[in-house]
Amino acid sequence: MEIMLKHFWENFRKKSIVWQVTVVFSVITLIPSIAITISYFHIIQNSILEESQKNLKQYLKKMGSNMTANINIANYTFKDLNFSQEFTYFLDPGNLLSDREKNHYINSIQVELLNIHNMYPNKFSSVLIYSKNRQISQIGGWSYPLESLYKTDYYHEITDNDGEIIYGNIRIYDNAYGNLAKYPNLENEKEQVLPVYNKIYNISTGEFIGMIELDISLKRLIDIESLATENPSITYMLFDNKNNLLYSNNKIDPKDCGSLSFPGNSGLSNEILNHTNYMVAYDRDAETGLMRVVVINEKEVYATSNGIKFALVLIAVICLICIILLTSLTAHIMFRRLKDMTNMISQIESGKFDVRVETCGFKEISSIAESFNHMAKTLQTTIQSMIEREKAQKEAELYALQVQINPHFLYNTLDSMRMKCEIDSNYQMANSIQILGSLLHYSLNWESKSVPLKEEMQNVRNYIQIMRMRFRNKFQYELEFEPGCLENLVPKFILQPLVENCFSHAFLDMNPPWNILVKAVGNENRLTIKIIDNGIGIEPCRLAQINEFLNGDQPNIGNRKSQHSIGIANVRQRIELLCKKGSGLSISSELGRGTQITIIIVLEEKAD
């Protein structure tokens, strides 16, 4: 035996390297292929079972993700309402509200409800506010007295829980409260909803003075429409904390679910429903207590096993044949030209990038040779480009040093003029020259493309002071801003061109007095800046052209009033380039009444 192996080895070593590589790789591939194929026949059903269980977990995870996302939307809605509305004041029966306060409360709530409907369409069946303050407790469609809950079956869900946000038991939607989500025919359906409550307490006494209620449809809670389209064979179900079936997207009799058991808060099991074996995955939602369940018929799981067996054998045979052929062909091509390629690479390493390989022979060889030639040419071009770029950069740096001389000379000249004016006691002119120098310095210093809002505000203030020298007391201006938003970064030089338009266009053909208001407000992730004037306004057709341009519906604003357009176009372009998605600029105007330019900048999220 040892002699035979030695003889075989000697003969094998005498063969060509192409033949050796082909045999070795074919044997290496053949042995595991046979072993894998044989093993697969024994474990195929277990593999399918494990894969199905994994898929069930994924479907269950998607169901949980949808549910968590919608619950988070409800929590965010509560936060937004509590942040924008002073419920602790208006719902307190101890506060006597004026008519103005009542109207303000009603209008602001209605605006928030409209925003909720637009931001989260079809999410909530209703948004209700219960108030202990009788002055505002009865407003049709959304506000009711707190006493109206005393006789309800679910009042104990609220009083027995000391939490601020409470998830109630599933109940049939009460269409007497209206239909915020505007579901088709909701008033005629027995729609099940999950009520979520946000209790409002008096800050001083801790008294329970009101509550916000959001009703979420069970279908919308798990977004069943998006889940069901992904795999129609999957059944999604919801159970309450007593294992009673609340919802199922397929027709399953609740009586058949009586045998289901859910040990623990999550797991996998095999159950029998309506005399059919099902694979079941489940987990319980920590906040609502609802049990999410995903099931699939075992027959559908194993139906593909026979086809997979046949496909596996066929693929294994085809792959083995292809591997033998490709290995032989690749080895033949690679080793025949390996020496030539090695020599060419050595020449490239020595700095000779003009070497090229002949592209004759088989298509595969030609392709490799062309790739090698392209690589050599690219390296040669890249190195030449780097040399030229370095030369251009040095020239640019020299030019930049030369350019810096002129602004520096101008700053010194303006400063000398200011000092001379102060010596001559012409303080007004000295102050104006100082402001002009600040404007010049701000417009020429572009080390950073973004600056804090306070610097933009100061630049606008300097510009208006210069314009006062020209127009005297013909105009009034006001800069309003929330102190907390002054440190937010904005693109540089976006306010002064827009304020300049007021003098160039808005006030051009009208008599004083002129008014300009620059206002900045912000929240956690959004900064809003408005420039408002009482000028002549913009013609409707012209305003439509400008807004189409700002919305990207046409490539340019048009030739008319090009200077006005250039300033707006420049500001809009820099906002789009430097700010996050969602930032932008819009214009509203009315002839004879004035113009308002609104800039919205989406801020970077602050690190915790």
Side-chain angles (χ1 to χ4, degrees):
M1 185 67 179
E2 183 178 354
I3 297 175
M4 292 179 59
L5 291 175
K6 186 177 181 180
H7 180 71
F8 173 79
W9 176 248
E10 292 295 331
N11 290 333
F12 181 77
R13 292 178 60 185
K14 294 178 182 179
K15 300 292 183 181
S16 66
I17 189 172
V18 174
W19 190 87
Q20 293 178 9
V21 170
T22 302
V23 172
V24 170
F25 273 89
S26 298
V27 172
I28 292 175
T29 305
L30 178 62
I31 294 175
S33 297
I34 295 175
I36 291 173
T37 302
I38 294 175
S39 300
Y40 184 81
F41 288 136
H42 296 286
I43 64 174
I44 183 170
Q45 288 188 340
N46 291 333
S47 299
I48 293 176
L49 178 62
E50 291 176 359
E51 183 67 22
S52 299
Q53 290 176 346
K54 180 180 178 181
N55 291 336
L56 278 181
K57 290 180 180 179
Q58 291 295 328
Y59 292 128
L60 185 64
K61 185 177 180 180
K62 292 179 181 179
M63 184 179 179
S65 298
N66 290 350
M67 189 171 177
T68 300
N70 287 306
I71 289 175
N72 287 337
I73 288 175
N75 293 335
Y76 295 150
T77 302
F78 283 137
K79 291 180 180 179
D80 290 341
L81 284 171
N82 284 306
F83 177 78
S84 59
Q85 309 297 325
E86 298 179 7
F87 287 118
T88 56
Y89 174 78
F90 287 104
L91 304 188
D92 193 343
N95 294 327
L96 182 61
L97 305 178
S98 64
D99 291 338
R100 181 178 178 181
E101 289 177 318
K102 294 178 184 178
N103 292 333
H104 170 74
Y105 172 78
I106 293 172
N107 291 335
S108 61
I109 293 296
Q110 289 175 341
V111 169
E112 286 298 327
L113 293 179
L114 182 61
N115 290 337
I116 292 172
H117 172 66
N118 292 332
M119 187 175 298
Y120 307 117
N122 298 336
K123 287 295 182 185
F124 305 123
S125 301
S126 62
V127 180
L128 307 174
I129 301 175
Y130 295 93
S131 173
K132 202 169 184 180
N133 191 342
R134 293 181 177 273
Q135 302 173 76
I136 56 170
S137 62
Q138 190 64 44
I139 301 174
W142 56 269
S143 183
Y144 298 92
L146 190 61
E147 291 84 353
S148 62
L149 294 174
Y150 294 166
K151 298 180 181 180
T152 61
D153 296 335
Y154 51 86
Y155 182 65
H156 68 278
E157 298 177 3
I158 305 167
T159 57
D160 293 349
N161 195 317
D162 295 332
E164 184 176 349
I165 295 181
I166 303 170
Y167 300 92
N169 294 326
I170 303 299
R171 64 170 184 264
I172 301 298
Y173 173 72
D174 188 352
N175 55 36
Y177 289 117
N179 181 4
L180 177 68
K182 302 187 183 303
Y183 297 141
N185 303 320
L186 181 61
E187 288 79 2
N188 300 323
E189 297 181 2
K190 292 183 178 180
E191 185 76 14
Q192 290 183 307
V193 296
L194 170 67
V196 187
Y197 311 106
N198 183 193
K199 298 169 73 173
I200 308 298
Y201 297 93
N202 184 291
I203 298 177
S204 301
T205 64
E207 178 187 3
F208 177 33
I209 59 174
M211 184 186 71
I212 309 171
E213 177 184 340
L214 295 179
D215 292 335
I216 309 176
S217 168
L218 284 190
K219 293 181 180 180
R220 304 293 174 178
L221 180 64
I222 59 176
D223 284 339
I224 190 62
E225 293 180 356
S226 63
L227 292 174
T229 55
E230 187 172 350
N231 189 343
S233 64
I234 297 294
T235 299
Y236 299 91
M237 297 187 292
L238 272 178
F239 291 80
D240 60 15
N241 53 11
K242 296 181 180 179
N243 293 345
N244 296 318
L245 178 63
L246 297 173
Y247 175 78
S248 172
N249 66 311
N250 292 330
K251 294 182 179 180
I252 293 182
D253 193 341
K255 296 180 181 179
D256 295 332
C257 299
S259 60
L260 290 178
S261 59
F262 306 112
N265 291 324
S266 62
L268 294 167
S269 63
N270 295 321
E271 303 287 347
I272 298 177
L273 298 176
N274 194 21
H275 307 291
T276 304
N277 293 326
Y278 282 88
M279 294 172 55
V280 181
Y282 61 91
D283 69 349
R284 188 176 300 278
D285 185 71
E287 294 192 86
T288 63
L290 299 177
M291 181 67 75
R292 297 181 287 258
V293 180
V294 179
V295 302
I296 187 172
N297 193 328
E298 288 189 1
K299 290 183 178 179
E300 297 182 5
V301 173
Y302 295 122
T304 59
S305 61
N306 293 330
I308 292 177
K309 291 178 181 179
F310 176 78
L312 178 68
V313 174
L314 181 61
I315 292 173
V317 172
I318 294 175
C319 289
L320 182 60
I321 295 174
C322 292
I323 288 172
I324 294 174
L325 295 177
L326 290 176
T327 301
S328 177
L329 179 61
T330 303
H332 179 76
I333 295 173
M334 290 178 60
F335 292 109
R336 191 184 70 171
R337 301 298 300 275
L338 181 60
K339 187 175 180 180
D340 294 340
M341 297 292 292
T342 302
N343 293 334
M344 295 298 179
I345 292 174
S346 298
Q347 294 185 44
I348 289 179
E349 289 177 349
S350 64
K352 298 180 180 180
F353 297 102
D354 56 346
V355 295
R356 299 293 184 267
V357 179
E358 294 182 1
T359 57
C360 60
F362 295 105
K363 182 178 179 180
E364 291 80 0
I365 299 176
S366 298
S367 177
I368 296 174
E370 289 174 359
S371 299
F372 179 86
N373 292 338
H374 178 71
M375 178 193 69
K377 183 179 179 180
T378 302
L379 285 173
Q380 186 178 14
T381 303
T382 302
I383 292 175
Q384 184 65 31
S385 176
M386 290 176 64
I387 295 173
E388 294 177 356
R389 190 182 300 114
E390 184 177 355
K391 180 180 178 182
Q393 183 177 356
K394 290 181 179 179
E395 293 176 353
E397 291 174 354
L398 179 60
Y399 176 75
L401 290 175
Q402 294 173 348
V403 170
Q404 289 176 0
I405 297 174
N406 292 334
H408 187 70
F409 168 75
L410 187 56
Y411 298 151
N412 291 338
T413 302
L414 289 174
D415 192 53
S416 298
M417 294 172 64
R418 179 185 63 79
M419 294 177 63
K420 182 64 170 66
C421 290
E422 290 182 352
I423 292 173
D424 295 339
S425 299
N426 192 345
Y427 298 110
Q428 183 177 2
M429 181 59 68
N431 183 56
S432 299
I433 292 175
Q434 183 180 7
I435 293 174
L436 179 60
S438 298
L439 278 174
L440 180 63
H441 182 271
Y442 188 81
S443 62
L444 293 178
N445 183 12
W446 286 87
E447 293 181 358
S448 176
K449 296 180 180 179
S450 298
V451 297
L453 177 61
K454 63 182 179 182
E455 294 187 13
E456 273 291 285
M457 285 292 192
Q458 181 60 42
N459 186 57
V460 169
R461 185 179 287 108
N462 290 338
Y463 173 77
I464 292 177
Q465 291 298 328
I466 294 297
M467 298 306 291
R468 274 192 177 279
M469 295 180 60
R470 176 181 175 186
F471 296 105
R472 304 279 179 189
N473 297 323
K474 291 183 179 181
F475 70 91
Q476 298 291 329
Y477 77 95
E478 185 176 358
L479 303 181
E480 293 184 3
F481 50 82
E482 295 179 352
C485 67
L486 289 180
E487 298 300 326
N488 291 322
L489 293 180
V490 299
K492 185 175 181 179
F493 220 66
I494 61 173
L495 298 184
Q496 188 264 324
L498 302 181
V499 174
E500 184 177 351
N501 280 340
C502 297
F503 296 98
S504 302
H505 303 280
F507 303 148
L508 186 61
D509 297 325
M510 67 173 288
N511 295 323
W514 306 332
N515 295 321
I516 300 175
L517 171 62
V518 181
K519 184 177 182 180
V521 295
N523 54 24
E524 293 182 355
N525 61 352
R526 186 180 294 264
L527 176 65
T528 302
I529 306 172
K530 296 182 180 180
I531 298 94
I532 305 170
D533 65 62
N534 65 335
I536 59 175
I538 305 175
E539 297 177 358
C541 60
R542 179 58 180 166
L543 180 63
Q545 289 180 351
I546 295 175
N547 281 323
E548 286 180 3
F549 167 75
L550 295 177
N551 294 331
D553 297 332
Q554 65 179 29
N556 53 66
I557 305 179
N559 296 326
R560 186 182 174 196
K561 296 184 179 179
S562 58
Q563 293 301 322
H564 188 196
S565 306
I566 289 173
I568 295 174
N570 184 275
V571 172
R572 172 240 192 185
Q573 184 180 25
R574 281 187 287 118
I575 290 175
E576 290 183 350
L577 290 175
L578 299 177
C579 299
K580 293 182 66 175
K581 184 177 182 181
S583 303
L585 182 148
S586 63
I587 301 179
S588 60
S589 182
E590 185 176 350
L591 281 177
R593 298 291 296 275
T595 301
Q596 174 177 303
I597 301 177
T598 303
I599 298 174
I600 295 178
I601 296 178
V602 178
L603 303 174
E604 297 289 342
E605 295 183 0
K606 297 181 179 179
D608 295 334

